[in-house]
């Protein structure tokens, strides 16, 4: 269970953002290209899983705050949003601990 939360914390780096209103998949792809994220696999699947759990988990505000922080930079690998990343990871991790069979949580765990 702790591994899931730790993975979400590490994996949230994928959203390391950029100025210009890029979406989750763009942020993820840029993070992977710059080797500054621990997210592996398909960014669209990862972001879709976040979409699926953010409301039911109560984590929409944490995700929004994190992406807004990341979106403030033009280079996805130059952003320090650790506190917001931790808040999102903790929120989603807690939800997924109680929903281990939820397909979106399975996707999120497999992305880290």
């Amino acid at each position: 269970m702790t591994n899931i939360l730790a993975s979400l914390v590490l994996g949230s780096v994928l959203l390391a953002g950029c100025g210009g209103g890029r979406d989750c998949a763009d942020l993820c792809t840029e993070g992977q290209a710059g080797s500054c994220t621990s997210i592996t696999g398909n960014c669209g699947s990862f972001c879709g899983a976040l979409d699926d759990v953010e409301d039911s988990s109560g984590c929409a505000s944490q995700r929004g705050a994190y992406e807004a922080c990341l979106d403030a930079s033009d280079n996805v690998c130059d952003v320090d949003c650790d506190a917001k990343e931790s808040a999102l990871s903790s929120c989603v991790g807690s939800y997924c601990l109680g929903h281990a069979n939820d397909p979106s949580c399975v996707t999120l765990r497999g992305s880290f």
Side-chain angles (χ1 to χ4, degrees):
M1 291 184 196
T2 301
N3 289 338
I4 295 169
L5 181 57
S7 293
L8 288 171
V9 170
L10 292 173
S12 292
V13 172
L14 81 98
L15 298 175
C18 43
R22 292 178 212 150
D23 66 14
C24 176
D26 291 337
L27 298 171
C28 173
T29 300
E30 289 184 31
Q32 287 179 344
S35 298
C36 60
T37 182
S38 62
I39 299 302
T40 61
N42 184 287
C43 290
S45 295
F46 175 82
C47 295
L50 282 177
D51 290 344
D52 290 344
V53 304
E54 74 177 325
D55 290 331
S56 58
S57 66
C59 300
S61 64
Q62 290 90 338
R63 181 182 181 182
Y66 184 53
E67 288 186 2
C69 176
L70 299 171
D71 197 39
S73 175
D74 289 332
N75 184 330
V76 300
C77 295
D78 288 344
V79 181
D80 181 9
C81 299
D82 292 345
K84 289 175 177 34
E85 174 186 317
S86 293
L88 174 62
S89 299
S90 179
C91 185
V92 173
S94 294
Y95 174 80
C96 286
L97 287 175
H99 298 85
N101 293 324
D102 179 310
S104 294
C105 287
V106 171
T107 297
L108 291 169
R109 282 191 312 271
S111 296
F112 303 105

